[in-house]
C-alpha cells in the first residue's frame, strides 16, 4: 500500500472518530454572537441544527460559503432548521464582515477554538447537521 493510501485511510478513520453519530448527544457549548448575546447549543433542544465551522470571518472562502448559506436561508427557515455559524474570529470581526443573516442564522465567535476541539473539527472548518 502506498504512503498516500495509508494517509487517506488514516484520515478517514480519524474522521469517523471525530463526528457526532446519529443518535449521539452533541457536546454542549456556549458562544457569544456578534452583538454580545450568548447562545448555548442546548437551548435549541428539539430543533434541527446545522453547525457550520469557518476559519476566519474575513477569509474569502468563508465569505463565499456564508453567502451560499444566506442564499438557502428561506428554504432552511421553512424547514425549521437553525444555522449556527462558528468562526475563529472575534465578535467584532464577525460583525464587521458578516451581514444579512436572518433570525434562524446565528454567527458565533470561537476565537480560542474550544468548540472546534469539542467537535474535533479540523482548522479549515466543516459543515454538519444535528438534531437536538
Amino acid at each position: 500500500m502506498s504512503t498516500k493510501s495509508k494517509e487517506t485511510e488514516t484520515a478517514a478513520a480519524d474522521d469517523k472518530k471525530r463526528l457526532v453519530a446519529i443518535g449521539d448527544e452533541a457536546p454542549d457549548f456556549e458562544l457569544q454572537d456578534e452583538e454580545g448575546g450568548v447562545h448555548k447549543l442546548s437551548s435549541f433542544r428539539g430543533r434541527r441544527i446545522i453547525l457550520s465551522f469557518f476559519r476566519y470571518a474575513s477569509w474569502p472562502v468563508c465569505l463565499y460559503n456564508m453567502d451560499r448559506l444566506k442564499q438557502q436561508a428561506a428554504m432552511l427557515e421553512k424547514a425549521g432548521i437553525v444555522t449556527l455559524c462558528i468562526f475563529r474570529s472575534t465578535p467584532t470581526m464577525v460583525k464587521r464582515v458578516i451581514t444579512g443573516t436572518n433570525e434562524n442564522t446565528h454567527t458565533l465567535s470561537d476565537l480560542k477554538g474550544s468548540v472546534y476541539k469539542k467537535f474535533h473539527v479540523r482548522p479549515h472548518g466543516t459543515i454538519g447537521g444535528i438534531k437536538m
Side-chain angles (χ1 to χ4, degrees), residues 47-50 73 75-83 104-105:
R47 309 231 8 227
R48 292 188 301 166
I49 307 289
I50 292 177
M75 184 266 307
L76 294 169
E77 184 174 12
K78 186 176 179 180
I81 297 172
V82 174
T83 305
N104 281 331
T105 302

Side-chain angles (χ1 to χ4, degrees), residues 76-97:
L76 294 169
E77 184 174 12
K78 186 176 179 180
I81 297 172
V82 174
T83 305
L84 302 179
C85 302
I86 302 169
F87 292 88
R88 295 285 305 260
S89 300
T90 64
T92 304
M93 178 58 78
V94 173
K95 184 176 183 175
R96 185 178 334 150
V97 177

Side-chain angles (χ1 to χ4, degrees), residues 72-132:
Q72 301 298 317
M75 184 266 307
L76 294 169
E77 184 174 12
K78 186 176 179 180
I81 297 172
V82 174
T83 305
L84 302 179
C85 302
I86 302 169
F87 292 88
R88 295 285 305 260
S89 300
T90 64
T92 304
M93 178 58 78
V94 173
K95 184 176 183 175
R96 185 178 334 150
V97 177
I98 307 300
T99 60
T101 59
N102 67 11
E103 64 187 40
N104 281 331
T105 302
H106 304 278
T107 53
L108 308 174
S109 173
D110 184 22
L111 190 58
K112 294 181 180 178
S114 62
V115 176
Y116 278 70
K117 289 174 187 160
K118 279 186 177 188
F119 283 87
H120 305 281
V121 174
R122 292 183 180 148
H124 63 274
T126 190
I127 295 177
I130 61 173
K131 184 172 181 180
M132 290 299 295

Side-chain angles (χ1 to χ4, degrees), residues 20-32:
V20 176
I22 295 172
D24 287 353
E25 186 169 325
D28 200 17
F29 63 82
E30 187 175 286
L31 291 174
Q32 185 178 11

Side-chain angles (χ1 to χ4, degrees), residues 35-53:
E35 299 294 332
V38 175
H39 297 269
K40 199 169 183 180
L41 181 61
S42 59
S43 68
F44 296 99
R45 191 159 309 283
R47 309 231 8 227
R48 292 188 301 166
I49 307 289
I50 292 177
L51 292 179
S52 185
F53 293 86

